[in-house]
Amino acid sequence: MSHDTDPVFTVERVRADAARALAEPVESVDPAENLFDRGMDSVRVMSLMERWRVDGAEVDFADLSENPTVHAWVELLNG
């Protein structure tokens, strides 16, 4: 498989980005948990969104807020 088709937004990357935004150890972030329940807020989501857009993601705040889990975000980001 070519590197051109490898997803940029892996579960590991999105989980690490979310953990960094929450100032939590990456191991403590469950990819299936609701990140808003964990302390993620709109300012942090906007910051993540801007970082991901630099790498080509085409998502908006409403999309990310609809299902705020690492697994759902990976799907959106790679869609």
Side-chain angles (χ1 to χ4, degrees):
M1 178 150 71
S2 155
H3 287 291
D4 292 340
T5 59
D6 290 344
V8 173
F9 301 101
T10 62
V11 169
E12 293 78 17
R13 178 196 172 163
V14 175
R15 183 181 183 203
D17 289 346
R20 192 170 16 280
L22 292 166
E24 297 283 343
V26 69
E27 315 76 53
S28 74
V29 176
D30 178 346
E33 78 180 303
N34 182 316
L35 295 169
F36 287 153
D37 291 346
R38 183 63 183 264
M40 186 70 68
D41 59 24
S42 59
V43 173
R44 290 181 172 114
V45 172
M46 294 296 286
S47 174
L48 289 170
M49 190 177 70
E50 292 307 316
R51 178 179 306 150
W52 294 334
R53 283 182 174 173
V54 168
D55 289 330
E58 294 182 20
V59 294
D60 63 30
F61 181 79
D63 292 334
L64 294 171
S65 297
E66 191 172 311
N67 192 356
T69 69
V70 168
H71 285 309
W73 286 357
V74 168
E75 253 185 67
L76 279 171
L77 291 165
N78 289 310

